[in-house]
Amino acid sequence: MELQTVISFLLASIALTISPGPDNIYVLMQSISHGKKYGIATAFGLVLGIIIHTSLIAFGVSAIIQNSPKLFFAIKLVGAIYLLYLAYNVYKNSLEIDLNSGGIPKRTVGELIKQGFIMNVLNPKVTIFFLAFFPAFINTSAGNTKQQIFVLGFLFMLQAFIIFSTLSIVADKTTSFLRENKKFETILKWVQIIVFVGIAIFILLP
């Protein structure tokens, strides 16, 4: 796998991870309500769930590449359309981050890891998103597509856990900043749109 591909994948992954979404908001909520340890535990569970989605994609996509390059291109095309659809939804919806900490039940670290894992594994949108996201960075001419996908999956997990954990540690400051700076919310919104559109275009490039 080329270094340029790895760097591009990491930059896109980081941009996606820092964009407001259910996972990082839930991690922040746990950190704000009960402390950074609980936020990090939630993050660890969420990241563990990615292993399942990555494995499904690795075996499924690899089989498709081997049997039908045209079908693989069709998947990439559908993936690009899906990413454009996500960009449109982000554009259409207002971005309001509600980080009020009331009403969040306290669970043990083990329970939060389990909950994060289950939340991630049972969310079919994660697999659909990965199916749209990963093909842009697979080099079919390099062979061993399974290995490429697992490497990308590990990199995604690593950067997500680092970012989620960092959010947990600085949760109080981050929450205060987001509440007081609506301009920052707008910046995050457009970052998310640009990333979705950019990856969609990248997927379709020869």
Side-chain angles (χ1 to χ4, degrees):
M1 186 174 294
E2 296 180 357
L3 180 60
Q4 183 179 357
T5 301
V6 172
I7 293 174
S8 299
F9 178 81
L10 279 174
L11 290 175
S13 299
I14 290 169
L16 290 169
T17 302
I18 64 176
S19 300
D23 288 350
N24 52 17
I25 295 300
Y26 189 68
V27 169
L28 278 174
M29 294 289 285
Q30 288 295 335
S31 302
I32 294 165
S33 301
H34 308 301
K36 62 183 180 183
K37 179 175 72 173
Y38 297 90
I40 292 173
T42 304
F44 185 65
L46 289 166
V47 168
L48 283 179
I50 294 174
I51 296 174
I52 305 300
H53 297 287
T54 302
S55 299
L56 291 173
I57 293 168
F59 291 102
V61 171
S62 294
I64 290 170
I65 292 172
Q66 291 173 3
N67 296 324
S68 177
K70 290 183 179 180
L71 182 56
F72 180 59
F73 176 77
I75 289 175
K76 293 172 68 174
L77 180 61
V78 172
I81 294 171
Y82 177 67
L83 290 170
L84 291 174
Y85 169 74
L86 292 179
Y88 172 73
N89 278 343
V90 174
Y91 172 77
K92 183 178 66 174
N93 298 326
S94 62
L95 180 60
E96 296 182 358
I97 303 174
D98 184 9
L99 295 176
N100 295 317
S101 58
I104 304 298
K106 187 171 184 178
R107 295 182 171 88
T108 66
V109 168
E111 288 173 340
L112 285 173
I113 292 174
K114 180 181 178 180
Q115 182 182 27
F117 177 79
I118 293 173
M119 282 174 57
N120 191 278
V121 169
L122 295 183
N123 186 355
K125 291 183 179 180
V126 178
T127 295
I128 295 172
F129 176 77
F130 276 16
L131 190 58
F133 181 56
F134 275 40
F137 303 93
I138 298 173
N139 183 359
T140 54
S141 62
N144 205 339
T145 54
K146 286 191 184 73
Q147 184 180 34
Q148 291 184 58
I149 293 172
F150 277 117
V151 169
L152 294 177
F154 173 76
L155 290 175
F156 192 95
M157 290 170 62
L158 181 62
Q159 64 83 28
F161 182 69
I162 291 173
I163 290 174
F164 285 166
S165 297
T166 301
L167 286 177
S168 297
I169 293 170
V170 297
D172 292 334
K173 293 182 180 179
T174 302
T175 305
S176 175
F177 181 77
L178 289 175
R179 282 174 178 164
E180 297 172 5
N181 292 270
K182 297 299 179 183
K183 186 176 180 180
F184 185 69
E185 293 182 2
T186 302
I187 292 173
L188 286 178
K189 176 177 181 176
W190 280 102
V191 165
Q192 199 169 14
I193 291 171
I194 291 169
V195 170
F196 283 146
V197 173
I199 296 172
I201 294 172
F202 184 58
I203 285 176
L204 297 177
L205 292 177

